Amino acid sequence: MSNDKIIKPMGSKEQVLAAVRGAIKDAVPPSVSRTYSRDLGLDRAGLVELFTERVGDYRAEVQVIDRDELGRVIGNVLADRRIHSVVVPDDLDPGWLTTVTSRVVRDSPDLTHRDLDQVDGVITGSAVGIALTGTIVMDAGPTQGRRAITLIPDTHLCIVAADDIVGTVPEAVARLDATRPLTWISGPSATSDIELDRVEGVHGPRNLVVLILT
């Protein structure tokens, strides 16, 4: 028997990876320009106005309300949309639910994904809103709960404090902790991957309602 080492031919994957490694072997990482806009130069009212416009562009319902109206407006939104049950983070302020007639489920580790699928909606707070992109970021902090409760129910009612709205993505990133579980929301869940036909609710709620507290 021959002791010569048997050399197996490279597969397609190995060939591609070998070509890439060869091409970048002596490459120097390019410098990245950091001259992009970091501040829109808007005051608080301007940021709220732009954020409201951009969130609306995503087919989300958005209202700017006084903080004292929050309990009443939440009850009205749930009633108007005939939402019979909602899940809320365990630390959600009970004052937000004073006019809610829907069945309220406080989140707990015992709630399974199947349980959440039987609930119509979810109410949460948020960490940051980005005016330029109309994006809401959640970081599982106070009043936000775990990620699963914002992905499974079909309607997400999200509260954004006007003071938490910034102008640009760099400003938002500077306020966030990258080690926390971050969820970035730009309108209801939607995709147009197949023949550009928009389908909503594929990866999360089909309906997004945003209440901005001033």
Side-chain angles (χ1 to χ4, degrees), residues 70 74-75 77-78 83 85-93 96-97 100 102 104-105 119 121-125 138 143-145 149-150 153 155-159 209 211:
L70 180 58
I74 287 177
V77 169
L78 298 182
I83 293 175
S85 57
V86 288
V87 60
V88 300
D90 187 50
D91 63 347
L92 195 80
D93 184 348
W96 293 12
L97 306 174
V100 171
S102 312
V104 176
V105 179
V119 178
V122 55
I123 304 171
T124 74
M138 307 182 67
T143 74
Q144 297 167 58
I149 67 172
T150 66
T155 296
H156 184 183
L157 200 166
C158 188
I159 316 302
V209 180
L211 302 181

